[in-house]
């Protein structure tokens, strides 16, 4: 009798939790793994996992109309999961239906900036809107300045974006650099060893170094960095008494800029590259 009572209490408690939305589990389709709620919210709204977790705990997330407040809840990935994110200041709700991520590779031309909009310059988003791969939730992974060309990844996965751009993950970014003056062996040695640059945000000096630097010609080099400081490569060469006249990013992590991708055009990442990119920052 006591065993039956315990079973009844557990059943009642589980039903209450389900009604409250505090422990909202959706059983996955057989053979298809479920997904943690905080990961799904992160992917759906382009947030980092920590921000998604915080919003869930604050009760600002609705799943299929029900409040959910347990970040570790397992959600079926085969169903159309309707998500709402509530703005605590205005009460407005951002609504979406969860699906897998979008990842788009863009070949950035000169003269446009990495921004959503601008009164002065054309933006990368305006270019992307002209392609069949544009989605409103796509966000650029890092920035390329006005005159820099080449590889710019867009993703809807906030956690992937965070890791690819955070210095702790040491993601390599490779560039082709053309300088105004010949690059000497002393310059190469100095840039490999590292030079001090002022961080515009903190005002502190930080060491900026090339993790790899190979000569292509007298005034052209291939340079790899694992940091992402403001105008880092241009400022590094400035410390050597020369100016960068052309800068092109050709790879980031396992992603290489395709030779046949024209400036201003985009292409979705294939499954192998998506898997390799996630694995490069331990998101597997």
């Amino acid at each position: 009798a006591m065993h039956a009572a315990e079973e009844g209490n557990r059943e009642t408690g589980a039903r209450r939790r389900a009604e409250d939305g505090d422990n909202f589990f959706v059983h996955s389709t057989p053979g298809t793994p479920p997904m943690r709620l905080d990961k799904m919210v992160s992917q759906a709204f382009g947030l980092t996992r920590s921000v998604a977790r915080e919003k869930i705990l604050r009760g600002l997330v609705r799943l299929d109309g029900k409040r959910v407040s347990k970040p570790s809840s397992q959600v079926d990935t085969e169903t159309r999961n309707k998500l709402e994110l509530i703005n605590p200041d205005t009460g407005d709700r951002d609504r979406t239906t969860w699906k897998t991520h979008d990842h788009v590779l863009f070949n950035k031309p000169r003269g446009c900036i990495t921004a959503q909009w601008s009164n002065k310059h054309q933006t990368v988003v305006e270019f992307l809107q002209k392609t069949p791969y544009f989605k409103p939730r796509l966000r650029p992974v890092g920035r390329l300045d006005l005159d820099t060309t080449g590889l710019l990844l867009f993703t809807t996965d906030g956690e992937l974006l965070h890791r690819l751009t955070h210095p702790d993950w040491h993601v390599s970014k490779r560039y082709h650099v053309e300088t105004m003056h010949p690059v000497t062996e002393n310059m190469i040695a100095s840039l490999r060893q590292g030079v001090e640059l002022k961080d515009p945000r903190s005002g502190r000096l930080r060491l900026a170094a090339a993790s790899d630097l190979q000569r292509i010609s007298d005034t052209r080099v291939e340079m790899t960095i694992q940091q992402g400081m403001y105008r880092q490569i241009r400022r590094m060469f400035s410390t050597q008494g020369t100016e960068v006249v052309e800068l092109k990013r050709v790879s980031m992590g396992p992603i290489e800029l395709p030779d046949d991708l024209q400036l201003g055009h985009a292409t979705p990442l294939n499954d192998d590259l998506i898997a390799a990119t996630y694995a490069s920052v331990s998101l597997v």
Side-chain angles (χ1 to χ4, degrees), residues 137-240:
R137 295 190 187 280
L138 283 168
R139 295 292 181 268
V141 179
R143 294 178 179 273
L144 294 179
D145 64 30
L146 182 69
D147 293 323
T148 302
T149 66
L151 186 157
L152 184 62
L153 178 66
F154 284 79
T155 183
T156 55
D157 187 341
E159 184 64 22
L160 178 65
L161 187 156
H162 172 70
R163 294 198 185 191
L164 288 173
T165 55
H166 198 284
D168 286 352
W169 289 96
H170 306 291
V171 176
S172 294
K173 296 164 284 280
R174 186 161 48 90
Y175 295 80
H176 286 171
V177 187
E178 182 173 353
T179 59
M180 182 175 291
H181 305 100
V183 179
T184 66
E185 289 300 324
N186 285 340
M187 289 181 185
I188 291 176
S190 177
L191 294 173
R192 283 176 175 164
Q193 184 176 0
V195 295
E196 287 189 330
L197 299 179
K198 187 175 181 180
D199 188 325
R201 294 182 179 179
S202 67
R204 298 177 181 175
L205 290 176
R206 292 174 55 191
L207 190 68
S211 57
D212 190 36
L213 187 57
Q214 303 294 331
R215 186 193 306 279
I216 300 174
S217 69
D218 284 349
T219 59
R220 290 183 67 84
V221 296
E222 184 174 88
M223 182 173 180
T224 302
I225 60 173
Q226 294 182 336
Q227 301 158 291
M229 297 172 64
Y230 173 71
R231 296 176 65 86
Q232 179 175 333
I233 292 177
R234 297 180 188 276
R235 294 166 66 204
M236 288 176 71
F237 276 95
S238 180
T239 67
Q240 305 303 303

Side-chain angles (χ1 to χ4, degrees), residues 30-284:
T32 303
M35 177 180 289
R36 281 179 58 112
L37 177 63
D38 55 356
K39 184 176 182 180
M40 180 173 284
V41 171
S42 167
Q43 295 178 1
F45 294 103
L47 307 173
T48 65
R49 188 79 73 86
S50 60
V51 171
R53 217 166 12 242
E54 182 262 338
K55 291 186 180 297
I56 294 167
L57 291 171
R58 290 180 62 191
L60 300 176
V61 175
R62 300 289 185 270
L63 175 63
D64 293 330
K66 297 180 180 179
R67 180 179 63 85
V68 283
S69 57
K70 187 173 182 181
S72 61
S73 296
Q74 300 293 310
V75 186
D76 186 356
T77 57
E78 286 293 304
T79 60
R80 289 175 59 83
N81 297 291
K82 296 180 179 179
L83 290 163
E84 297 179 1
L85 183 63
I86 301 171
N87 184 321
D89 298 322
T90 65
D92 293 340
R93 300 191 177 202
D94 190 4
R95 295 178 172 88
T96 189
T97 299
W98 182 87
K99 66 180 188 63
T100 54
H101 306 302
D102 292 299
H103 314 280
V104 176
L105 176 59
F106 176 64
N107 190 358
K108 179 190 173 298
R110 295 184 71 161
C112 67
I113 61 172
T114 309
Q116 295 289 321
W117 64 274
S118 171
N119 291 327
K120 295 183 178 179
H121 302 284
Q122 194 170 15
T123 70
V124 292
V125 172
E126 289 174 306
F127 272 96
L128 201 61
Q129 286 173 337
K130 299 173 184 176
T131 75
Y133 311 113
F134 174 75
K135 300 290 175 62
R137 295 190 187 280
L138 283 168
R139 295 292 181 268
V141 179
R143 294 178 179 273
L144 294 179
D145 64 30
L146 182 69
D147 293 323
T148 302
T149 66
L151 186 157
L152 184 62
L153 178 66
F154 284 79
T155 183
T156 55
D157 187 341
E159 184 64 22
L160 178 65
L161 187 156
H162 172 70
R163 294 198 185 191
L164 288 173
T165 55
H166 198 284
D168 286 352
W169 289 96
H170 306 291
V171 176
S172 294
K173 296 164 284 280
R174 186 161 48 90
Y175 295 80
H176 286 171
V177 187
E178 182 173 353
T179 59
M180 182 175 291
H181 305 100
V183 179
T184 66
E185 289 300 324
N186 285 340
M187 289 181 185
I188 291 176
S190 177
L191 294 173
R192 283 176 175 164
Q193 184 176 0
V195 295
E196 287 189 330
L197 299 179
K198 187 175 181 180
D199 188 325
R201 294 182 179 179
S202 67
R204 298 177 181 175
L205 290 176
R206 292 174 55 191
L207 190 68
S211 57
D212 190 36
L213 187 57
Q214 303 294 331
R215 186 193 306 279
I216 300 174
S217 69
D218 284 349
T219 59
R220 290 183 67 84
V221 296
E222 184 174 88
M223 182 173 180
T224 302
I225 60 173
Q226 294 182 336
Q227 301 158 291
M229 297 172 64
Y230 173 71
R231 296 176 65 86
Q232 179 175 333
I233 292 177
R234 297 180 188 276
R235 294 166 66 204
M236 288 176 71
F237 276 95
S238 180
T239 67
Q240 305 303 303
T242 190
E243 181 181 336
V244 172
V245 295
E246 185 177 329
L247 183 60
K248 177 182 180 181
R249 183 155 69 187
V250 294
S251 75
M252 182 178 67
I255 305 170
E256 300 270 348
L257 183 67
D259 291 335
D260 59 352
L261 185 62
Q262 298 177 22
L263 285 169
H265 288 235
T267 186
L269 289 191
N270 62 41
D271 291 343
D272 288 342
L273 270 180
I274 291 171
T277 302
Y278 274 85
S280 72
V281 288
S282 300
L283 284 175
V284 292

